[in-house]
Amino acid sequence: MRWMFAVIMLLGAAVGSLGPAAPARAERSILAEFRFGSIDGGEMGFADWAGRPVLLANTASLCGYTWQYAQLQALFDAYGPRGLVVVAIPSNSFNQELGSDREVRDFCQLNYGLDLPITTVTPVRGPDAHPFYAWLREETGFVPRWNFNKVLIGRDGSVLGTWGSAERPTGRAITAAVEAALAEAPRS
């Protein structure tokens, strides 16, 4: 009976020692599969940003929070040189986006001078949600409730934080989370 207890304890220790590392690898490999259409043509995705923290915001050009584009750009300008990727994901999920990718691109460049990565117009909720947002819902229960919701993904692919529309991109909550994410050592 003692030998059985010893075997169970050894198996438990072995499984426990594998536990924390396995999910991070699984999250990275799942995230690496998610690709977005780029508003400038082609595709982009987490595989391109491997080892870097990524802040994603679902955006809309005709929303009352559209002023946050300027803060997303400011965040990208301030932290991009240190490794942060900021991605705007225009979405018509709340019926407040312009009619075409070209209109969105022109609006963002003319009104806000954005040079951060911008995806094509992408659904972020419901049955047609982009696979990243479906994964996010399954993993964390987070679903954008409106435009300009933000999600911070860490270097290891873990979800470090989610924020609603009212949270300013350059506010203390997000900048503190970004600084902590950047302070983590990059994986080799």
Side-chain angles (χ1 to χ4, degrees), residues 71 75 79 163 166-180:
Q71 290 197 3
L75 198 67
Y79 293 104
W163 298 272
E167 194 65 50
R168 294 178 306 116
T170 57
R172 186 70 190 135
I174 292 177
T175 58
V178 164
E179 288 173 7

Side-chain angles (χ1 to χ4, degrees), residues 6 11 22 46 51 60 63 75 77 80 113 116 127 143 150 155 165 168 174 176 187:
L11 286 173
F46 291 96
C63 179
L75 198 67
D77 291 343
L116 53 84
V143 176
K150 298 104 183 150
R155 292 180 191 275
S165 303
R168 294 178 306 116
I174 292 177
R187 292 187 176 249

